[in-house]
Amino acid sequence: MFSKFPLFQNHLDLAHQYWKAIIQPGDTVIDATCGNGHDTLELALLTLGDEMKPGRLLAFDCQQTAIDQAKTLLAEKLPEGQLSRIEFILGCHSVWPEDIAQGSVRAIVYNLGYLPGGDKSLTTQTATTLESIKKALPLLMKGGMICVACYPGHAEGKIEEEAILELVKGLNAKSWSVCHHRWLNRQNAPSLLVIQAAI
Ligand SMILES: C[S@@+](CC[C@H](N)C(=O)[O-])C[C@H]1O[C@@H](n2cnc3c(N)ncnc32)[C@H](O)[C@@H]1O
């Protein structure tokens, strides 16, 4: 994609660079908000690997429409045979499947807000997002990462971002590195939060 900015154009570009830096074929990763599947696609290309290094990718969304749209995109863009290896979960990301062991996940990513082109009232909610992030922390392996794209430009998104930042400010600095990227010269721009577990 053409960009006027050689480092990164926006919060999603930046997020993808973090993912590329740490995710390896064979890893277990989770897309907590799969939506139309653009982020799931990036994660699949980094994670799924081949038969020698079969990664595990779980993709959550609470809307069947989102999962259907994601599957359409992924069927078109992924190499043959990879779509069937992604575990789509229709449900809320505040409940993780029991078979995900603590300390086993390389990356858990959130792209908050509502489904682009969908019902704007079905947006992520502060309470369930906080619950999800709290439960996601112990799932991370050493050096693993949670990445959260926040959208303070709409009312619920602003409350949600503030609540998440309040939560993560309290994480012990010996165990967690917490960094928040905000564009200071763009009004109400999305921001990116990165939480990394110590190695
Ligand atoms: C901004 S969209 C995600 C965009 C997506 N990552 C992409 O690349 O196209 C946010 C998604 O979160 C989903 N969502 C909202 N609340 C959720 C919840 N509690 N659990 C899981 N998904 C949720 C929405 O249905 C919506 O599809």
Side-chain angles (χ1 to χ4, degrees):
M1 183 182 69
F2 171 75
S3 168
K4 287 197 290 180
F5 301 101
L7 282 176
F8 42 82
Q9 174 105 325
N10 59 30
H11 64 300
L12 296 177
D13 260 6
L14 180 59
H16 295 174
Q17 290 197 34
Y18 277 114
W19 303 353
K20 281 182 193 140
I22 73 155
I23 296 174
Q24 296 160 24
D27 282 346
T28 295
V29 302
I30 301 175
D31 186 347
T33 54
C34 108
N36 289 322
H38 299 284
D39 295 323
T40 314
L41 173 63
E42 293 289 326
L43 295 171
L45 294 171
L46 293 171
T47 306
L48 290 180
D50 53 30
E51 279 129 41
M52 304 297 286
K53 280 193 172 176
R56 186 174 182 201
L57 172 56
L58 297 96
F60 283 76
D61 207 288
C62 59
Q63 295 187 65
Q64 184 65 51
T65 320
I67 290 181
D68 292 344
Q69 285 170 190
K71 282 183 177 171
T72 303
L73 176 82
L74 293 159
E76 190 187 315
K77 303 276 184 190
L78 280 178
E80 178 113 17
Q82 290 208 339
L83 175 60
S84 60
R85 294 178 46 207
I86 301 172
E87 298 166 53
F88 290 93
I89 298 171
L90 175 63
C92 178
H93 49 215
S94 59
V95 183
W96 299 120
E98 283 179 5
D99 71 335
I100 305 176
Q102 300 220 341
S104 69
V105 183
R106 180 81 70 184
I108 304 176
V109 314
Y110 299 78
N111 190 345
L112 300 176
Y114 46 81
L115 182 66
D119 182 346
K120 292 189 178 177
S121 67
L122 297 176
T123 186
T124 50
Q125 299 290 318
T126 303
T128 42
T129 303
L130 289 180
E131 192 182 347
S132 178
I133 293 173
K134 281 184 205 163
K135 291 180 180 169
L137 291 166
L139 299 181
L140 289 184
M141 63 197 300
K142 288 179 180 173
M145 157 184 90
I146 292 175
C147 222
V148 189
C150 302
Y151 295 84
H154 68 107
E156 176 63 24
K158 189 167 172 52
I159 296 167
E160 190 176 34
E161 185 193 65
E162 281 168 6
I164 297 168
L165 295 181
E166 209 43 51
L167 169 75
V168 299
K169 270 188 220 162
L171 291 174
N172 182 327
K174 288 194 176 134
S175 307
W176 303 99
S177 158
V178 180
C179 184
H180 185 222
H181 299 264
R182 182 186 292 292
W183 273 258
L184 297 177
N185 61 346
R186 294 183 195 169
Q187 203 71 25
N188 287 326
S191 67
L192 185 74
L193 172 70
V194 181
I195 306 165
Q196 192 180 11
I199 54 173

Short mmCIF file of all heavy atoms in Angstrom, two decimals, residues 32-39 61-63 66 91-93 111-116 124, ligand 1:
data_model
loop_
_atom_site.label_atom_id
_atom_site.label_comp_id
_atom_site.label_asym_id
_atom_site.label_seq_id
_atom_site.Cartn_x
_atom_site.Cartn_y
_atom_site.Cartn_z
N ALA A 32 -9.37 -11.28 18.83
CA ALA A 32 -10.53 -11.19 19.73
C ALA A 32 -11.72 -10.51 19.09
O ALA A 32 -12.84 -10.56 19.63
CB ALA A 32 -10.12 -10.45 21.01
N THR A 33 -11.50 -9.84 17.95
CA THR A 33 -12.59 -9.10 17.26
C THR A 33 -12.39 -9.26 15.75
O THR A 33 -11.86 -8.37 15.10
CB THR A 33 -12.55 -7.59 17.62
OG1 THR A 33 -11.23 -7.11 17.35
CG2 THR A 33 -12.89 -7.31 19.06
N CYS A 34 -12.82 -10.37 15.22
CA CYS A 34 -12.40 -10.67 13.83
C CYS A 34 -13.08 -9.80 12.78
O CYS A 34 -12.50 -9.54 11.73
CB CYS A 34 -12.52 -12.16 13.57
SG CYS A 34 -13.83 -12.70 12.52
N GLY A 35 -14.29 -9.31 13.04
CA GLY A 35 -14.94 -8.38 12.12
C GLY A 35 -14.91 -8.88 10.69
O GLY A 35 -15.27 -10.04 10.41
N ASN A 36 -14.47 -8.03 9.77
CA ASN A 36 -14.44 -8.41 8.35
C ASN A 36 -13.24 -9.27 7.98
O ASN A 36 -13.09 -9.64 6.81
CB ASN A 36 -14.46 -7.16 7.48
CG ASN A 36 -15.81 -6.47 7.52
OD1 ASN A 36 -16.85 -7.14 7.56
ND2 ASN A 36 -15.81 -5.15 7.53
N GLY A 37 -12.37 -9.54 8.94
CA GLY A 37 -11.29 -10.52 8.71
C GLY A 37 -9.96 -9.95 8.25
O GLY A 37 -9.02 -10.72 7.99
N HIS A 38 -9.82 -8.63 8.16
CA HIS A 38 -8.55 -8.07 7.67
C HIS A 38 -7.40 -8.38 8.63
O HIS A 38 -6.30 -8.75 8.21
CB HIS A 38 -8.68 -6.56 7.45
CG HIS A 38 -9.71 -6.22 6.43
ND1 HIS A 38 -9.51 -6.37 5.08
CD2 HIS A 38 -10.99 -5.78 6.56
CE1 HIS A 38 -10.59 -6.02 4.41
NE2 HIS A 38 -11.51 -5.66 5.29
N ASP A 39 -7.66 -8.23 9.94
CA ASP A 39 -6.61 -8.53 10.91
C ASP A 39 -6.38 -10.04 10.99
O ASP A 39 -5.24 -10.49 11.13
CB ASP A 39 -7.01 -7.98 12.29
CG ASP A 39 -7.09 -6.47 12.30
OD1 ASP A 39 -6.26 -5.82 11.63
OD2 ASP A 39 -7.99 -5.92 12.96
N ASP A 61 -15.86 -13.43 17.15
CA ASP A 61 -16.76 -12.28 16.95
C ASP A 61 -18.13 -12.66 17.50
O ASP A 61 -18.51 -13.84 17.47
CB ASP A 61 -16.86 -11.85 15.48
CG ASP A 61 -17.21 -10.37 15.37
OD1 ASP A 61 -18.37 -9.99 15.67
OD2 ASP A 61 -16.32 -9.56 15.03
N CYS A 62 -18.85 -11.67 18.00
CA CYS A 62 -20.17 -11.94 18.55
C CYS A 62 -21.25 -11.87 17.47
O CYS A 62 -22.43 -12.07 17.77
CB CYS A 62 -20.47 -10.99 19.71
SG CYS A 62 -20.42 -9.28 19.22
N GLN A 63 -20.87 -11.56 16.21
CA GLN A 63 -21.85 -11.48 15.12
C GLN A 63 -21.55 -12.51 14.04
O GLN A 63 -20.43 -12.54 13.51
CB GLN A 63 -21.81 -10.10 14.46
CG GLN A 63 -22.21 -8.96 15.36
CD GLN A 63 -22.31 -7.67 14.56
OE1 GLN A 63 -23.15 -7.53 13.68
NE2 GLN A 63 -21.42 -6.73 14.88
N ALA A 66 -20.29 -11.00 10.78
CA ALA A 66 -18.86 -10.68 10.73
C ALA A 66 -18.06 -11.94 10.37
O ALA A 66 -17.20 -11.91 9.48
CB ALA A 66 -18.40 -10.14 12.08
N GLY A 91 -19.12 -15.68 19.59
CA GLY A 91 -19.39 -15.47 21.01
C GLY A 91 -18.60 -14.29 21.53
O GLY A 91 -17.89 -13.62 20.77
N CYS A 92 -18.76 -14.06 22.81
CA CYS A 92 -18.11 -12.90 23.44
C CYS A 92 -16.69 -13.26 23.88
O CYS A 92 -16.46 -14.32 24.44
CB CYS A 92 -18.94 -12.47 24.65
SG CYS A 92 -18.20 -11.07 25.50
N HIS A 93 -15.77 -12.34 23.61
CA HIS A 93 -14.37 -12.59 23.96
C HIS A 93 -14.09 -12.45 25.46
O HIS A 93 -12.95 -12.52 25.88
CB HIS A 93 -13.45 -11.67 23.15
CG HIS A 93 -13.86 -10.23 23.17
ND1 HIS A 93 -13.71 -9.41 22.09
CD2 HIS A 93 -14.44 -9.47 24.14
CE1 HIS A 93 -14.16 -8.19 22.39
NE2 HIS A 93 -14.59 -8.21 23.61
N ASN A 111 -9.41 -5.14 17.90
CA ASN A 111 -9.67 -3.95 17.09
C ASN A 111 -11.08 -3.56 17.50
O ASN A 111 -12.07 -4.13 17.02
CB ASN A 111 -9.56 -4.33 15.61
CG ASN A 111 -9.57 -3.12 14.69
OD1 ASN A 111 -9.92 -2.02 15.11
ND2 ASN A 111 -9.21 -3.34 13.44
N LEU A 112 -11.16 -2.64 18.47
CA LEU A 112 -12.43 -2.37 19.15
C LEU A 112 -13.41 -1.62 18.24
O LEU A 112 -13.08 -1.23 17.13
CB LEU A 112 -12.16 -1.57 20.44
CG LEU A 112 -11.25 -2.27 21.46
CD1 LEU A 112 -10.97 -1.35 22.64
CD2 LEU A 112 -11.86 -3.59 21.94
N GLY A 113 -14.61 -1.41 18.78
CA GLY A 113 -15.60 -0.63 18.04
C GLY A 113 -16.63 -1.53 17.36
O GLY A 113 -16.88 -2.64 17.81
N TYR A 114 -17.19 -1.03 16.26
CA TYR A 114 -18.26 -1.76 15.57
C TYR A 114 -17.77 -2.27 14.21
O TYR A 114 -16.75 -1.82 13.69
CB TYR A 114 -19.50 -0.87 15.40
CG TYR A 114 -19.18 0.52 14.90
CD1 TYR A 114 -18.96 0.77 13.55
CD2 TYR A 114 -19.07 1.60 15.78
CE1 TYR A 114 -18.66 2.03 13.09
CE2 TYR A 114 -18.77 2.88 15.33
CZ TYR A 114 -18.56 3.08 13.99
OH TYR A 114 -18.24 4.33 13.53
N LEU A 115 -18.53 -3.20 13.69
CA LEU A 115 -18.21 -3.80 12.40
C LEU A 115 -18.31 -2.75 11.30
O LEU A 115 -19.40 -2.18 11.09
CB LEU A 115 -19.19 -4.94 12.13
CG LEU A 115 -19.02 -5.75 10.84
CD1 LEU A 115 -17.72 -6.53 10.88
CD2 LEU A 115 -20.21 -6.69 10.66
N PRO A 116 -17.21 -2.46 10.58
CA PRO A 116 -17.32 -1.46 9.50
C PRO A 116 -18.40 -1.89 8.51
O PRO A 116 -18.44 -3.04 8.07
CB PRO A 116 -15.92 -1.49 8.86
CG PRO A 116 -15.02 -2.00 9.95
CD PRO A 116 -15.86 -2.98 10.74
N THR A 124 -18.10 -2.90 20.66
CA THR A 124 -17.52 -3.51 21.87
C THR A 124 -17.93 -2.66 23.08
O THR A 124 -18.08 -1.45 22.97
CB THR A 124 -15.99 -3.59 21.76
OG1 THR A 124 -15.47 -2.31 21.39
CG2 THR A 124 -15.56 -4.62 20.73
C1 LIG B 1 -13.78 -2.84 14.46
S1 LIG B 1 -14.54 -4.40 14.24
C2 LIG B 1 -13.15 -5.45 13.97
C3 LIG B 1 -12.47 -5.26 12.64
C4 LIG B 1 -11.68 -6.46 12.22
N1 LIG B 1 -10.60 -6.78 13.11
C5 LIG B 1 -11.20 -6.40 10.79
O1 LIG B 1 -9.99 -6.50 10.53
O2 LIG B 1 -12.05 -6.25 9.89
C6 LIG B 1 -15.04 -4.87 15.86
C7 LIG B 1 -15.73 -6.22 15.90
O3 LIG B 1 -15.85 -6.59 17.27
C8 LIG B 1 -17.02 -7.37 17.39
N2 LIG B 1 -17.42 -7.44 18.80
C9 LIG B 1 -18.09 -6.51 19.52
N3 LIG B 1 -18.22 -6.93 20.79
C10 LIG B 1 -17.65 -8.16 20.88
C11 LIG B 1 -17.48 -9.11 21.92
N4 LIG B 1 -17.93 -8.86 23.15
N5 LIG B 1 -16.85 -10.28 21.65
C12 LIG B 1 -16.39 -10.53 20.39
N6 LIG B 1 -16.51 -9.67 19.35
C13 LIG B 1 -17.12 -8.49 19.61
C14 LIG B 1 -18.02 -6.67 16.49
O4 LIG B 1 -19.06 -7.54 16.10
C15 LIG B 1 -17.14 -6.23 15.32
O5 LIG B 1 -17.21 -7.14 14.26
#
